[in-house]
Amino acid sequence: MNENNKKTNGPRPNKGQGPKPGAKPNKNSNSKSRSKSNGRSSSRGAAMRAQRRNQDDAIRIASQHLDAGSKNEKHKRANFIDDKPRLSIVGLGGQDGGGSKNTIVVEYMNDAIIMDCGNDLGVDLPGINYGIVDTSYLESIKHKIKAYVITHGHLDHIGGLPHIVPKFPAPIYGSKFTIGRVEEIFGNFGLPMPEGFELKTVTMNEDTHERLKIGNFFVELVRVTHSIPGSTCIVVDSPVGRIINTGDFRFDPNPLDHERTDMERLKQLGDEGVLALLSESTTSDRPGRTPSESTIEQTFNDIISNAPGRIFVGLFSTNMNRVQMIINSAVAHGRKVAMDGRSMVSTLEMAVRHGFVKIPKGTFVPIASASTMKDDELVVVCTGSQGEPSSALQRMGSGDHRHVKLKEQDTVILSSSPIPMSGNDAKVRSMVDDFMRKGVHIFQHITAELDHHGPLHVSGHASIEEYAEMINMTKPKFFVPIYGDYTAKKRHIDIAIEQGVPRSHTANVGNGEMLAFTADTMEPAGTVPHGTVLVDQTGAIVSNIVVKDRLMLAEEGLVAVVLTIDKRSGNLATSPDIISRGFIYMRDNEELMNNFRTELKRAVGQRYKRVDLDRFKQELKEHVTHFLYEETGRSPIVIPVVNVIGGARGNGGDKQANGKNNSSKGNKSEGNSKPEVKTPEQEAEELQKRFQQMRAKLLNQDARTD
């Protein structure tokens, strides 16, 4: 699958909890929950329930990406007695959604290999960059792990490696291009590796049918065509039988790099016998066959030959075959090529170094020189075909790019289609809308017929006839669809049944659901811990609890109430400080703020001396939640801060208000045994100074603080 994955979250539901922010509720309401004690039209219980609904919504969304420890499920291996050794297979990722964080564990006795180890770039949560698989199960079998074997170099198949391999070290096996990609992402990883960790990679030759022994397994790679060079099937021969993981594939009869799928070897493997075929299912609902990559070459030639000005081509950063196609066309039409987008430049450097991309001398120019060249002499190849907000193409269009800004008569070619189920359709449409407003000429694959040009994109994945052909060539005894959501895998099973595989020999398993194989059987073998670990832009792990709080903040905002209470009198020593973030703009709600302060003063007077401090804070939080829900119909996160000052000398009051100790600048030097005696007025003045310093730090002089 392409490394830009689908989003999993839809829009937040309209909870209908009350009037708009700042609006007063109907005081004539006959609600049964009217509080007789304060005249409010909603009970405290209603306010608490509203806040719980907010929490439940946040938990529901965040729970789509729970780690194994947060799922509260009983993950255990089935309690069966093995009559004979079994081969166990379990997907820790890739068995849901559109196929992401693809990771499959294969075990036999005391040996295990991990096939693919990707990330999920489609996680749409605040401050989250991507997700990786939870490694709780790997922790339990870490003594077994002998290798990571990778099908190809897209991030949804390799993006988890820098997080997981250092924790469970083992060599990484793959084709030449795939290993180049692996080394590239380790080199660009933002966090330091653990002390003593050494990346070990093994390059395998998929053209010579090289077989390497790894524990009890023999492993072979078989070349397939995809949208990235070096794509392969993984063939694992175990003492129980042979399994094949197809990886992402299509059967392109005429790929630009002439690296066709090795169908002869697949047929040979099928003739020798295949116990189980694990076949990717991304586009199992698409009829026919996927067109050849070669069908789009003429379209580039036609557009580049007729474009009046500069040409910008947006495409996936790893599609080096298409980059080669664009370079060839640019050279043929006397244009120079500039590239932008960190991931694209990094991948291109690796591809050129290993000989996968050929660039004639003098073809490339730095992106910084683009603005000095004649418009009809330049082609810019960049990221941004999916409308990604921070991509090079978007920044060029918005004017935020350091070197290039799109202008009238420029031509933009989007050589991709929005990824299905990703929500990228709207992003691309918005980007195209902005470009057209600037007078830019736009060419897209989805509007090819409307704009009278040829195709600009072909999928990297098979269609129904190719999925069927893979099954027919390999002749598996058992069939397990992988790398897709439940529906895609169900349709793939239907294809397998049409090709003669008995329904009882198929299984549509989810993440964590283990299958056990003998030479003649396939049986469910329980579940193992699984889930998603969330990662931010720095590469650091983010707790699911933190994400839940972020969702609540995004939905309802935050209100912090800072109270300073005189310990002697039990009354407020100063007017309450109220801090609002993402809730309301306080200066536009003066009446509400005045009523709010009055309520806070009343709450302190009624309850502070009657309960202990912890209980008072909890009651204050509930009181504020009730008041704000009553007045606005919303339930922000409420944070009460209570500072207690005063009290008998030597006590010092609350440490939060008075600092580490209650010594003063007026004390005598250390040589004197008796401190200077201060008057109550002096003590009160010093206490007030310390409080003002603390208050300034808390409020940070923010204009939004009242």
Side-chain angles (χ1 to χ4, degrees):
M1 181 161 180
N2 290 318
E3 54 191 71
N4 296 300
N5 293 320
K6 77 178 190 67
K7 287 188 177 178
T8 54
N9 301 323
R12 300 295 301 277
N14 182 357
K15 295 183 289 298
Q17 292 180 354
K20 294 179 179 180
K24 294 279 186 177
N26 183 359
K27 297 297 182 182
N28 296 321
S29 170
N30 292 322
S31 172
K32 293 181 181 180
S33 62
R34 180 185 298 276
S35 173
K36 295 180 181 180
S37 62
N38 56 23
R40 294 196 179 127
S41 61
S42 59
S43 67
R44 177 168 295 186
M48 295 299 105
R49 286 193 296 274
Q51 188 158 82
R52 279 197 297 272
R53 283 196 297 271
N54 294 341
Q55 293 173 344
D56 291 344
D57 282 344
I59 291 171
R60 176 180 55 79
I61 293 176
S63 294
Q64 296 179 57
H65 307 283
L66 282 177
D67 58 34
S70 303
K71 285 180 175 287
N72 296 319
E73 297 175 356
K74 294 181 179 180
H75 298 297
K76 61 181 181 179
R77 301 287 292 275
N79 294 319
F80 58 79
I81 299 175
D82 280 333
D83 295 325
K84 60 187 74 173
R86 298 190 179 212
L87 178 72
S88 298
I89 299 175
V90 61
L92 298 182
Q95 301 301 95
D96 59 357
S100 58
K101 60 183 195 311
N102 302 297
T103 308
I104 295 176
V105 181
V106 180
E107 292 178 66
Y108 180 81
M109 304 293 282
N110 290 317
D111 294 317
I113 61 174
I114 299 172
M115 298 190 294
D116 290 336
C117 187
N119 64 13
D120 181 359
L121 288 167
V123 179
D124 187 19
L125 293 172
I128 300 303
N129 193 17
Y130 54 83
I132 59 174
V133 296
D134 187 291
T135 58
S136 299
Y137 182 65
L138 298 183
E139 186 70 41
S140 69
I141 63 165
K142 60 183 178 182
H143 60 288
K144 296 185 180 182
I145 299 173
K146 300 297 189 296
Y148 298 80
V149 187
I150 310 301
T151 59
H152 66 280
H154 279 146
L155 287 177
D156 57 334
H157 294 256
I158 64 172
L161 290 171
H163 295 275
I164 294 173
V165 175
K167 294 174 64 177
F168 310 101
I172 303 171
Y173 294 74
S175 68
K176 183 178 180 181
F177 189 90
T178 299
I179 292 302
R181 280 281 289 157
V182 168
E183 293 171 347
E184 177 191 347
I185 66 165
F186 270 88
N188 294 333
F189 193 57
L191 298 179
M193 292 290 119
E195 185 176 354
F197 171 75
E198 181 182 354
L199 176 64
K200 296 180 180 179
T201 59
V202 178
T203 299
M204 297 181 66
N205 190 328
E206 65 270 32
D207 295 324
T208 61
H209 309 148
E210 177 183 24
R211 296 174 76 243
L212 298 181
K213 191 174 190 303
I214 303 174
N216 275 306
F217 306 108
F218 283 92
V219 175
E220 175 186 345
L221 301 181
V222 177
R223 184 177 68 248
V224 294
T225 306
H226 183 40
S227 57
I228 185 173
S231 297
T232 60
C233 293
I234 300 173
V235 181
V236 179
D237 287 331
S238 77
V240 170
R242 171 178 292 157
I243 63 171
I244 297 178
N245 178 340
T246 67
D248 293 351
F249 74 95
R250 68 181 181 212
F251 294 150
D252 189 338
N254 190 26
L256 187 69
D257 58 8
H258 308 295
E259 297 293 327
R260 298 179 182 87
T261 298
D262 192 346
M263 301 175 80
E264 290 302 317
R265 180 56 179 161
L266 291 173
K267 292 175 183 176
Q268 184 180 3
L269 292 169
D271 292 339
E272 293 173 359
V274 174
L275 176 66
L277 175 65
L278 283 57
S279 185
E280 71 108 338
S281 310
T282 310
T283 46
S284 58
D285 58 352
R286 186 168 61 204
R289 303 183 74 88
T290 302
S292 171
E293 179 86 5
S294 61
T295 60
I296 67 177
E297 190 168 18
Q298 187 58 45
T299 309
F300 280 112
N301 287 328
D302 293 343
I303 294 176
I304 291 177
S305 65
N306 295 315
R310 300 180 301 180
I311 298 171
F312 297 80
V313 185
L315 71 164
F316 292 121
S317 63
T318 56
N319 199 334
M320 290 294 107
N321 288 339
R322 202 165 298 177
V323 169
Q324 182 72 72
M325 186 184 297
I326 296 165
I327 291 172
N328 295 345
S329 185
V331 171
H333 291 87
R335 290 181 180 249
K336 302 293 185 182
V337 177
M339 297 198 74
D340 199 28
R342 185 174 62 87
S343 59
M344 179 171 287
V345 171
S346 177
T347 303
L348 179 66
E349 289 175 348
M350 184 274 295
V352 171
R353 187 167 62 250
H354 290 291
F356 290 98
V357 175
K358 310 293 184 184
I359 304 175
K361 187 175 181 180
T363 300
F364 268 66
V365 295
I367 190 66
S369 303
S371 59
T372 65
M373 299 187 62
K374 293 181 179 179
D375 290 356
D376 61 356
E377 294 179 352
L378 181 66
V379 173
V380 176
V381 182
C382 57
T383 55
S385 63
Q386 296 294 301
E388 304 96 318
S390 60
S391 66
L393 189 56
Q394 280 277 31
R395 287 183 284 113
M396 291 172 187
S398 64
D400 295 331
H401 196 277
R402 290 180 59 189
H403 305 295
V404 182
K405 294 177 177 57
L406 288 182
K407 63 183 181 180
E408 190 175 0
Q409 296 301 312
D410 282 342
T411 293
V412 170
I413 303 171
L414 300 180
S415 185
S416 69
S417 295
I419 297 170
M421 301 184 294
S422 67
N424 288 351
D425 307 63
K427 292 180 182 178
V428 173
R429 179 75 181 200
S430 177
M431 179 176 70
V432 168
D433 197 55
D434 290 340
F435 291 175
M436 284 193 169
R437 190 175 287 113
K438 291 180 170 66
V440 174
H441 304 289
I442 304 292
F443 292 93
Q444 296 177 268
H445 178 68
I446 59 175
T447 58
E449 291 186 13
L450 182 66
D451 296 328
H452 308 293
H453 60 75
L456 282 168
H457 178 66
V458 295
S459 172
H461 299 270
S463 297
I464 290 176
E465 291 182 14
E466 293 155 286
Y467 286 124
E469 190 171 0
M470 175 65 81
I471 295 168
N472 281 323
M473 285 191 296
T474 55
K475 304 182 185 70
K477 180 177 291 187
F478 299 103
F479 178 76
V480 182
I482 59 172
Y483 301 167
D485 60 17
Y486 184 90
T487 300
K489 292 185 295 179
K490 170 64 169 60
R491 292 190 182 279
H492 205 170
I493 286 176
D494 292 340
I495 296 171
I497 292 171
E498 290 178 359
Q499 307 312 308
V501 179
R503 185 178 294 276
S504 60
H505 285 202
T506 67
N508 192 343
V509 293
N511 291 326
E513 297 179 22
M514 179 172 284
L515 295 173
F517 294 85
T518 68
D520 301 306
T521 64
M522 174 180 69
E523 296 178 356
T527 60
V528 304
H530 65 280
T532 302
V533 174
L534 302 172
V535 181
D536 66 15
Q537 295 285 350
T538 69
I541 303 301
V542 181
S543 166
N544 194 269
I545 296 174
V546 172
V547 174
K548 183 201 73 173
D549 289 342
R550 290 176 181 175
L551 289 167
M552 290 186 65
L553 286 169
E555 181 70 14
E556 298 286 357
L558 174 146
V559 171
V561 176
V562 183
L563 303 181
T564 303
I565 300 176
D566 187 289
K567 187 172 183 177
R568 293 189 182 92
S569 67
N571 296 321
L572 288 171
T574 185
S575 179
D577 291 303
I578 302 169
I579 305 170
S580 172
R581 296 290 184 273
F583 175 56
I584 59 172
Y585 185 54
M586 295 165 55
R587 293 183 180 179
D588 288 345
N589 293 272
E590 185 175 348
E591 181 181 357
L592 173 61
M593 289 299 100
N594 290 336
N595 293 339
F596 195 3
R597 287 192 179 82
T598 300
E599 281 294 314
L600 291 171
K601 292 174 183 176
R602 186 172 68 82
V604 172
Q606 286 183 348
R607 297 299 296 163
Y608 173 69
K609 283 197 168 184
R610 300 183 183 182
V611 295
D612 61 56
L613 184 58
D614 289 339
R615 177 63 184 165
F616 173 71
K617 288 180 180 179
Q618 180 60 35
E619 290 188 1
L620 178 65
K621 180 178 180 179
E622 294 177 0
H623 187 84
V624 170
T625 299
H626 184 201
F627 173 81
L628 294 177
Y629 180 74
E630 171 68 22
E631 295 294 323
T632 69
R634 292 173 57 185
S635 297
I637 293 176
V638 174
I639 300 178
V641 180
V642 179
N643 301 298
V644 181
I645 62 174
R649 185 163 61 86
N651 185 324
D654 189 87
K655 287 185 179 180
Q656 189 173 5
N658 293 318
K660 295 182 180 179
N661 57 58
N662 55 330
S663 62
S664 66
K665 294 180 181 179
N667 285 352
K668 292 183 180 180
S669 64
E670 295 182 7
N672 296 324
S673 59
K674 294 182 179 181
E676 178 184 349
V677 178
K678 298 180 182 178
T679 64
E681 291 78 9
Q682 288 175 317
E683 286 186 347
E685 182 180 0
E686 289 186 1
L687 193 60
Q688 188 64 20
K689 286 181 180 178
R690 287 198 296 274
F691 168 69
Q692 292 297 340
Q693 293 171 351
M694 177 205 68
R695 183 174 184 269
K697 290 180 180 179
L698 280 172
L699 303 183
N700 200 26
Q701 305 298 323
D702 195 307
R704 292 172 293 179
T705 301
D706 188 60

